[in-house]
């Protein structure tokens, strides 16, 4: 039976991997190396600001090793969601690094695929009633589109297959549906789409789907016409039915039907079987092709500028009264700066409900000390600094009811006590629009 | 007898499912415990809404994923990931209230 092998070096380009694992993968003669370089998980800042969330030196280290491996084996290297968020500035950043790598390694035919979407296109989609929000997302407005610093769309397999057909040695794509980079070559060669994408869904996080899991180690996927097998390349790990099945439901609200730009991966009939100590075989995954394919678009807008102050509280009387005390500070700040129309003031009380806020079912606190962050966000940078400073000084010297410690209420670990934390972004676009031809322009470079 | 979820599960975790949703995975230690949990009908949208102080409308359908011996629940994030006021950008530390959920399991199932 014919087989195709896909090597996934690391969960995110720049997270690293042991060279021994990668060499063990190359020794098995893979047909393609694919890596996902991004995610929305680190939050809206990186897409909004056009900045990568991975370290440049770490990305260059990973790219150098996998590029060398791909050129040596004469197999394609496919990188999706370059630069972390897959916008044009992220793609450019990753491309520069790859050019540096190639300048030391040799020549290659490089395909660069943009995921940038013109705002005019999305405004047209809104006019035509063609946008759909994802679950729990408000309907898309023209203002959301205009506010977004950049809009990207998650491409599916088609643009990557087009690059492969153009003879690209290395494909660097902007925002991309994570499994697509792993599934594109198998699907181009006629392997079943559902199985190829399901294998991609598991490989996209590399060894996170192994036991013990790791985001910094390699995984191999071997696909045939009836199923696929996945196994790690480091002898300290193994894939188990549990680890692979568990990864299938990771970060998804409904694990039976996984929606993507090319269609729906259907796992209703899917089975996971341990075939040796380290390998799991998956069969039965189907695919429902979309009659009207939609792509997911993403965008973030500036929400303001943040100033924070960090302090510890050890006084038991103050800890008992913390909610009332902070309410007093909030009211005093509102008397000075007006009700919070132009700024957002948050108190994060670690040791009480700092992690869960209003969702926290535990009431009160048993902790003998609290960690406090005064967190202010305002569009006016100066106002953000002023509200934080005023709240901090008010709290420091507030003579709260029952107080016997009259020298100061806060233990500051730092001088200066206030930290300008810079621009804050928020997601404003997370919707579906119809897929159209030539949505993802490609450029071929001989480097 | 009543079993606590933290004793019955091998994995209890929370994570973003995109920036607007928080999804919970409960993967049971054994098929028997998974089936007992499903049969107990304890895992409902009301339960999740109560534990997290959210409206039931903000809880998506509870899904049983048989191949992984898992139950999944998903809720709307009150604050979208990484926006002003968010507390957990990855959503990875919101699972603890699930630990003490109890359900009925027969002795031989443990």
């Amino acid at each position: 039976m014919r087989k195709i092998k896909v090597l996934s070096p690391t969960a995110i380009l720049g997270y690293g991997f042991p060279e021994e694992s990668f060499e063990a993968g190359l020794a098995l003669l893979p047909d393609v190396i694919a890596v996902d370089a991004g995610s929305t998980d680190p939050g809206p800042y990186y897409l909004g600001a056009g900045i990568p969330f991975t370290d440049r030196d770490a990305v260059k280290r990973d790219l150098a090793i996998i590029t060398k491996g791909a050129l040596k084996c004469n197999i394609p290297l496919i990188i999706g969601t370059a630069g972390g968020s897959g916008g044009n500035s992220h793609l450019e950043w990753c491309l520069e690094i790859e050019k540096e790598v190639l300048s030391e390694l040799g020549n290659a035919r490089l395909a660069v695929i943009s995921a940038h979407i013109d705002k005019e296109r999305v405004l047209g989609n809104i006019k035509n009633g063609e946008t759909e929000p994802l679950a729990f997302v408000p309907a898309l407005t023209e203002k959301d589109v205009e506010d977004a610093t950049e809009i990207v769309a998650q491409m599916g397999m088609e643009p990557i297959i087009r690059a492969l057909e153009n003879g690209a040695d290395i494909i660097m794509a902007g925002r991309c549906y994570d499994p697509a980079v792993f599934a594109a070559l198998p699907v181009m060669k006629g392997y079943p789409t559902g199985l190829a994408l399901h294998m991609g869904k598991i490989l996209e996080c590399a060894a996170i789907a192994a036991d013990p899991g790791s985001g910094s180690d390699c995984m191999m996927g071997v696909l045939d016409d009836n199923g696929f097998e996945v196994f790690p390349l480091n002898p300290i790990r193994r894939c188990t039915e549990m680890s692979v099945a568990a990864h299938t439901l990771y970060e998804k609200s409904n694990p039976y039907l996984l929606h993507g730009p090319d269609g729906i991966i259907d796992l209703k009939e899917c089975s996971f079987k341990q075939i040796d100590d380290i390998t799991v075989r998956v069969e039965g995954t189907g695919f429902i092709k979309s009659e009207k394919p939609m792509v997911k678009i993403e965008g973030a807008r500036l929400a303001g500028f943040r100033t924070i102050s960090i302090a510890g509280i050890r006084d038991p009387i103050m800890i008992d009264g913390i909610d009332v005390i902070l309410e007093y500070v909030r009211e005093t700040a509102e008397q000075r700066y007006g009700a919070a129309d132009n700024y957002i003031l948050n108190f994060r009380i670690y040791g009480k409900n700092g992690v869960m806020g209003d969702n926290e079912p535990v009431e009160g606190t048993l902790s003998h000390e609290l960690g406090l962050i005064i967190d202010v966000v305002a569009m006016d940078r100066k106002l953000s600094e002023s509200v934080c400073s005023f709240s901090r000084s008010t709290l420091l010297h507030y003579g709260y009811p029952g107080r016997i410690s009259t020298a100061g209420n806060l233990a500051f670990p730092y001088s200066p006590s206030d930290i300008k934390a810079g621009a804050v972004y928020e997601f404003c676009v997370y919707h579906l629009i119809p897929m159209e031809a030539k949505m993802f322009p490609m450029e071929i470079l001989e480097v | 007898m009543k079993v606590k979820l933290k004793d019955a599960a091998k994995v209890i975790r929370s994570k973003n499912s995109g920036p607007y949703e928080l999804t919970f995975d409960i993967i049971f230690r054994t098929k028997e415990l998974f089936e007992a949990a499903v049969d107990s009908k304890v895992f409902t949208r009301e339960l999740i809404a109560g534990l997290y102080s959210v409206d039931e409308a903000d809880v998506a359908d509870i899904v049983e994923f048989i191949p992984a011996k898992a139950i999944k629940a998903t809720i709307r994030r009150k604050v979208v990931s990484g926006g002003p006021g968010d507390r957990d950008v990855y959503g990875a530390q919101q699972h603890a209230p699930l630990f003490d959920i109890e359900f009925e399991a027969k002795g031989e199932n443990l």
Side-chain angles (χ1 to χ4, degrees):
Chain A
M1 194 189 303
R2 65 172 186 160
K3 286 181 180 176
I4 186 164
K5 295 178 196 157
V6 181
L7 173 58
S8 170
T10 182
I12 301 260
L13 188 68
Y15 280 14
F17 50 84
E19 282 191 60
E20 297 77 17
S21 300
F22 185 71
E23 287 299 326
L26 288 188
L28 297 171
L29 305 175
D31 295 279
V32 57
I33 301 171
V35 61
D36 171 28
S39 172
T40 55
D41 266 345
Y45 175 80
Y46 304 96
L47 174 59
I51 289 171
F53 63 82
T54 43
D55 177 68
R56 193 180 199 281
D57 291 344
V59 168
K60 189 172 177 185
R61 179 266 183 196
D62 286 2
L63 271 177
I65 296 169
I66 60 180
T67 303
K68 193 175 167 194
L71 294 180
K72 188 177 96 183
C73 297
N74 197 23
I75 54 172
L77 166 62
I78 309 175
I79 296 150
T81 312
S85 302
N88 273 355
S89 57
H90 304 93
L91 187 59
E92 194 58 42
W93 178 84
C94 203
L95 182 60
E96 282 307 311
I97 302 173
E98 182 63 14
K99 282 179 180 169
E100 282 178 27
V101 165
L102 283 169
S103 72
E104 292 158 22
L105 286 179
N107 301 331
R109 189 173 168 86
L110 190 58
V112 182
I113 309 170
S114 169
H116 173 88
I117 298 294
D118 283 333
K119 291 185 179 179
E120 286 67 35
R121 180 197 290 270
V122 184
L123 291 171
N125 293 137
I126 293 178
K127 274 205 183 71
N128 297 335
E130 294 168 333
T131 70
E132 288 175 25
L134 284 130
F136 301 128
V137 181
L140 188 63
T141 67
E142 290 183 2
K143 184 174 185 316
D144 295 330
V145 172
E146 279 153 11
D147 283 352
T149 55
E150 180 175 12
I151 297 178
V152 295
Q154 282 192 12
M155 69 184 78
M157 294 179 288
E158 186 275 330
I160 298 165
I161 291 175
R162 190 156 31 99
L164 287 167
E165 287 169 347
N166 266 278
D169 302 310
I170 298 168
I171 298 167
M172 190 162 287
R175 188 67 175 120
C176 186
Y177 176 54
D178 295 348
V181 289
F182 304 92
L185 183 68
V187 169
M188 183 177 109
K189 296 198 170 202
Y191 285 87
T193 307
L195 286 166
L197 284 170
H198 188 190
M199 184 170 86
K201 160 78 184 132
I202 292 163
L203 291 180
E204 58 118 333
C205 285
I208 289 180
D211 184 15
S214 167
S216 314
D217 207 347
C218 311
M219 282 270 277
M220 183 72 100
V222 182
L223 176 67
D224 58 51
D225 283 300
N226 297 322
F228 65 87
E229 285 152 25
V230 284
F231 55 91
L233 294 157
N234 184 329
I236 66 165
R237 309 181 197 288
R238 52 198 292 260
C239 280
T240 67
E241 287 173 18
M242 175 68 100
S243 73
V244 175
H247 193 73
T248 297
L249 50 93
Y250 188 58
E251 298 174 326
K252 296 286 168 198
S253 48
N254 184 337
Y256 285 111
L257 297 170
L258 303 177
H259 291 256
D262 300 291
I264 301 168
I265 311 173
D266 180 355
L267 288 116
K268 289 198 204 87
E269 304 297 325
C270 146
S271 67
F272 300 84
K273 190 162 182 267
Q274 195 83 45
I275 57 165
D276 62 34
D277 278 352
I278 60 162
T279 308
V280 170
R281 181 169 176 86
V282 180
E283 293 186 355
T285 309
F287 184 70
I288 305 161
K289 196 169 161 47
S290 295
E291 290 193 3
K292 196 174 154 247
M294 306 282 278
V295 293
K296 189 192 289 183
I297 54 172
E298 298 164 350
R301 68 175 151 226
L302 186 69
F305 296 88
R306 171 172 280 137
T307 312
I308 63 170
S309 189
I310 301 174
I313 298 166
R314 181 65 179 78
D315 185 297
I317 300 169
M318 181 161 175
I319 290 173
D320 277 347
I322 189 69
D323 287 335
V324 178
I325 292 168
L326 293 178
E327 201 44 45
Y328 168 84
V329 175
R330 181 184 298 281
E331 283 168 13
T332 310
E334 286 182 3
Q335 281 163 19
R336 171 68 71 92
Y337 295 100
D341 295 336
N342 298 319
Y343 64 91
I344 300 166
L345 167 62
N346 278 304
F347 298 110
R348 312 198 176 288
I349 317 168
Y350 290 95
K352 185 168 183 290
N353 63 355
V355 175
M356 296 190 63
D358 294 343
N359 293 133
E360 177 59 66
V362 175
E363 289 176 16
T365 172
L366 296 172
S367 181
H368 66 284
E369 66 174 24
L370 299 177
L372 176 73
I373 299 176
I374 301 169
D375 170 12
V376 183
V377 177
M379 271 299 179
D380 177 343
R381 209 186 283 250
K382 183 71 187 66
L383 180 65
S384 163
E385 293 168 19
S386 298
V387 174
C388 184
S389 169
F390 181 84
S391 303
R392 182 247 309 144
S393 60
T394 302
L395 180 57
L396 176 61
H397 294 298
Y398 172 38
Y400 56 82
R403 182 192 198 218
I404 59 174
S405 154
T406 54
N409 299 328
L410 299 170
F412 294 111
Y414 308 124
S415 171
S417 57
D418 298 359
I419 301 164
K420 294 169 196 172
V424 180
Y425 289 82
E426 63 187 3
F427 284 109
C428 57
V429 178
Y430 198 69
H431 297 77
L432 299 174
I433 61 170
M435 188 188 287
E436 287 169 49
K438 296 183 182 155
M439 210 167 194
F440 301 98
M442 178 176 66
E443 197 185 344
I444 299 277
L445 307 171
E446 302 289 347
V447 180
Chain B
M1 63 176 284
K2 292 268 190 196
V3 185
K4 279 208 169 163
L5 197 56
K6 67 178 174 203
D7 300 320
K10 184 173 173 171
V11 173
I12 301 175
R13 66 189 179 193
S14 66
K15 185 78 201 283
N16 294 346
S17 162
Y20 291 79
E21 289 182 331
L22 195 60
T23 191
F24 302 104
D25 296 349
I26 302 159
I27 303 174
F28 290 85
R29 283 199 286 112
T30 65
K31 188 164 172 282
E32 288 73 24
L33 283 163
F34 166 67
E35 285 168 356
V38 170
D39 291 345
S40 75
K41 297 190 169 33
V42 163
F43 295 86
T44 60
R45 293 171 62 201
E46 296 94 294
L47 173 85
I48 300 297
L51 278 176
Y52 286 90
S53 309
V54 297
D55 293 338
E56 237 175 87
D58 289 337
V59 183
D61 287 336
I62 311 284
V63 181
E64 291 143 13
F65 189 54
I66 299 163
K69 305 186 273 286
I71 296 178
K72 276 189 80 78
T74 301
I75 63 173
R76 182 176 74 89
R77 270 175 157 276
K78 281 185 185 161
V79 180
V80 179
S81 168
D86 187 26
R87 292 165 178 276
D88 185 354
V89 172
Y90 288 68
Q93 280 295 310
Q94 304 298 313
H95 56 288
L98 303 171
F99 277 31
D100 294 327
I101 295 172
E102 288 187 322
F103 64 95
E104 193 66 43
K106 291 200 190 83
E108 65 266 28
N109 294 335
L110 306 177

